[in-house]
Amino acid sequence: MTGVESQTREAAVGKASSRKRATKAGGTRDHTVPQMYLKHFAQHVASRKYELNVRRLDKIDEPFPVTPPGIAAETGYYWGISAEGVPHHAVEELFTSLEGQAETVLKVLLNDPDWAFTPRWPLSPDQRHVLAWWMAAQILRTTRQRKRLTHQQAEAPDITSLPQGVHTLAQNNSHLRYIVENIATLALRLEARPWALGFSDMCLLTSDTPVAIWNRPDDEDQLRAAAMSDILLPLDPHRFLFLPSPATRGTDRHKHVDHLMHAEGATGFALVEVAYDVADQFVIHHPQHDPWKHWKPNSPSQPKPWEGQTHSAPQYILKYAAFPPSLNIERRWTVEHPPPRSPDTAHA
């Protein structure tokens, strides 16, 4: 076989492979929120079976059970087209790699057998680096982020004439390109900020937008928003990461470095409100840790211009004291709730 014949054969194989990938492209079930993250809000009901409660925003008072693989999934969401016109799943592969590394760090934060706050806090530089990249991915990958980008595109290219399978891939490209162009810078900005590991007396929820950028969730400049805003990431029904903004840190030297935080009383309710307000389509909570037992939405959420919403955006200001690093909270309070107070003790 001559060299030309060999190259021709390789090219033919390459085209066949591309056609095969194009057939598969768009047919995968891609998760917009990591399953490994959702498991932290799930009840372990059987061997390898975990169950969440989900509330859709348009039917908020009708919770229903679901497993982590069964929610926050979109068909073909992370498929794109390379410069050579070849379908690829590279962004999904990146996220899978980040999730594997981040899962190890999340176990450090959440799996201490005795304490709610891991004695291994603050995290090591390597662990912070891993988690910062993973958090950056959660900010950039969401359905809310894609809708924001699509809405802000003044003149999107006309792709209506493309075949349906290619149409879907090309439609995803601007979002995928945005992720690739911004994830490294965003991760560095998150990594450079002080972090608070927090415990909330109030049961927490998460959503299809797990990282809440306070007051600026849909800012056109997401890098600036992430640098200037408070940032909340619920970790499980009672623990969270909070990155205080420059304004929230103020002159309190304890907040200019990694610290601990105890969200008591109204502060815990505020965290639930913020997490709820940035959800795109649904919120998620543990079956045994239901915020609706004590809380209900009582104000408009962050507006969604792509749905024609024009109401004023809610604004949040949080004041808190850093939790003394010499103290801790027993692990059992991450799964147990204090019994209701009797009328006789309620006013004691």
Side-chain angles (χ1 to χ4, degrees):
M1 181 181 295
T2 67
V4 173
E5 289 173 333
S6 176
Q7 290 176 12
T8 302
R9 182 176 182 278
E10 290 174 3
V13 171
K15 289 181 180 178
S17 177
S18 295
R19 285 195 296 270
K20 185 176 181 181
R21 295 186 72 187
T23 301
K24 291 182 178 179
T28 55
R29 185 172 170 80
D30 298 340
H31 284 83
T32 61
V33 183
Q35 296 178 63
M36 66 87 170
Y37 168 72
L38 293 179
K39 281 184 180 179
H40 295 296
F41 291 86
Q43 183 176 8
H44 190 194
V45 294
S47 178
R48 297 184 180 182
K49 184 177 180 181
Y50 297 83
E51 192 171 274
L52 305 154
N53 269 13
V54 173
R55 295 174 183 262
R56 297 197 177 278
L57 299 186
D58 57 354
K59 297 180 178 180
I60 200 64
D61 292 323
E62 300 178 16
F64 59 93
V66 71
T67 61
I71 194 68
E74 301 277 344
T75 302
Y77 189 78
Y78 294 120
W79 278 94
I81 300 178
S82 72
E84 293 75 27
V86 178
H88 69 84
H89 214 203
V91 172
E92 169 71 6
E93 293 165 6
L94 169 64
F95 289 158
T96 299
S97 174
L98 294 177
E99 289 163 18
Q101 298 174 63
E103 186 171 18
T104 301
V105 181
L106 291 176
K107 287 179 179 178
V108 171
L109 294 180
L110 302 176
N111 288 6
D112 187 85
D114 300 314
W115 303 108
F117 294 132
T118 174
R120 298 168 66 181
W121 182 263
L123 295 173
S124 71
D126 287 345
Q127 291 169 328
R128 280 176 59 88
H129 181 76
V130 165
L131 206 53
W133 269 82
W134 181 79
M135 289 173 64
Q138 308 327 305
I139 292 173
L140 296 173
R141 73 192 291 180
T142 65
T143 55
R144 186 176 187 117
Q145 189 74 262
R146 180 167 291 186
K147 291 173 182 177
R148 180 191 72 80
L149 290 167
T150 301
H151 180 73
Q152 291 180 352
Q153 285 178 341
E155 293 185 11
D158 183 9
I159 57 175
T160 55
S161 62
L162 296 176
Q164 182 57 42
V166 178
H167 180 283
T168 302
L169 300 178
Q171 196 172 40
N172 292 348
N173 263 11
S174 60
H175 183 203
L176 303 186
R177 185 167 56 250
Y178 183 81
I179 292 171
V180 172
E181 290 174 349
N182 289 280
I183 190 169
T185 302
L186 180 55
L188 288 173
R189 293 195 179 183
L190 296 175
E191 187 176 356
R193 294 183 55 170
W195 295 6
L197 176 60
F199 177 88
S200 171
D201 293 344
M202 173 69 176
C203 296
L204 301 175
L205 56 78
T206 189
S207 78
D208 50 6
T209 307
V211 179
I213 299 178
W214 292 38
N215 302 330
R216 299 179 179 89
D218 305 309
D219 197 297
E220 185 174 352
D221 188 342
Q222 291 281 284
L223 297 179
R224 178 187 62 188
M228 301 304 296
S229 305
D230 295 320
I231 294 177
L232 170 70
L233 170 66
L235 295 174
D236 73 4
H238 284 280
R239 286 172 291 183
F240 60 92
L241 282 177
F242 182 73
L243 281 59
S245 66
T248 299
R249 296 196 297 266
T251 59
D252 189 338
R253 60 183 180 85
H254 297 101
K255 297 177 186 175
H256 286 254
V257 295
D258 289 354
H259 54 284
L260 299 174
M261 176 179 174
H262 184 190
E264 302 178 86
T267 302
F269 284 79
L271 298 182
V272 173
E273 189 81 31
V274 171
Y276 175 85
D277 283 350
V278 299
D280 179 32
Q281 302 171 73
F282 53 81
V283 295
I284 301 162
H285 60 79
H286 191 287
Q288 302 301 317
H289 301 264
D290 186 350
W292 265 258
K293 292 180 179 179
H294 308 284
W295 169 92
K296 288 187 182 298
N298 55 20
S299 63
S301 300
Q302 293 288 340
K304 300 171 182 173
W306 49 90
E307 294 183 1
Q309 297 178 3
T310 58
H311 60 265
S312 298
Q315 297 290 300
Y316 321 102
I317 299 175
L318 181 64
K319 296 181 180 180
Y320 70 96
F323 190 77
S326 58
L327 301 180
N328 211 318
I329 295 171
E330 291 182 48
R331 165 79 188 201
R332 69 189 181 101
W333 295 119
T334 65
V335 294
E336 296 180 28
H337 296 128
R341 292 186 297 177
S342 67
D344 293 335
T345 61
H347 303 287

